Amino acid sequence: MSSIPLTLNLIEGSVSFSFSPQAARELKTATDQLMERLKAIAVKPTPGGGRVTPQPPLEYRYTGEVFLEVFCNPNIWPTPFAAKVLLTVRNVNIRLTTEAELTRIIEDINQYLEQVG
């Protein structure tokens, strides 16, 4: 386990917790895939060209010193830059559930991965 905590910046405030570099890489992969799905939705077909195929949601879960869950339904956001995720961080003593901006979470994960190497 890395001694550097992962800090996720929320819409108001932030949350920091122990997180493994491997789990951060897995979360990065999941958020990268989500961005691709959001981009596919944002490229709307021409009028009368048919419906956009619904994309599967991001449902990421990590269990370590804390439980982390990240959820996002890409079908409700017009662009990747407008997308928000539902974030839950909990352990035996506390539970935090809030919304966070997807782009900010991606930046936080990238910064964490740069720090841990």
Side-chain angles (χ1 to χ4, degrees):
M1 185 80 52
S2 173
S3 61
I4 299 171
L6 171 63
T7 299
L8 298 177
N9 291 291
L10 309 173
I11 294 169
E12 290 187 20
S14 64
V15 61
S16 297
F17 51 90
S18 295
F19 202 61
S20 73
Q22 177 60 34
R25 286 187 283 278
E26 291 169 5
L27 180 54
K28 178 177 176 20
T29 299
T31 56
D32 288 349
Q33 291 170 350
L34 175 63
M35 284 296 280
E36 291 305 314
R37 293 193 294 261
L38 283 159
K39 288 175 185 174
I41 292 169
V43 180
K44 304 244 190 266
T46 57
R51 293 187 53 163
V52 174
T53 303
Q55 297 292 319
L58 165 66
E59 295 180 276
Y60 174 85
R61 289 180 185 89
Y62 165 81
T63 303
E65 288 185 35
V66 298
F67 172 81
L68 171 68
E69 183 175 48
V70 181
F71 176 84
C72 180
N73 179 351
N75 301 297
I76 63 173
W77 303 106
T79 71
F81 304 104
K84 292 189 177 129
V85 298
L86 180 62
L87 183 71
T88 300
V89 179
R90 68 177 161 89
N91 68 13
V92 295
N93 298 315
I94 191 166
R95 178 186 183 109
L96 169 70
T97 302
T98 189
E99 275 190 336
E101 296 169 343
L102 175 61
T103 53
R104 186 176 280 179
I105 295 298
I106 290 170
E107 289 173 15
D108 294 340
I109 295 164
N110 289 337
Q111 182 178 10
Y112 172 80
L113 288 170
E114 287 174 10
Q115 290 175 346
V116 297

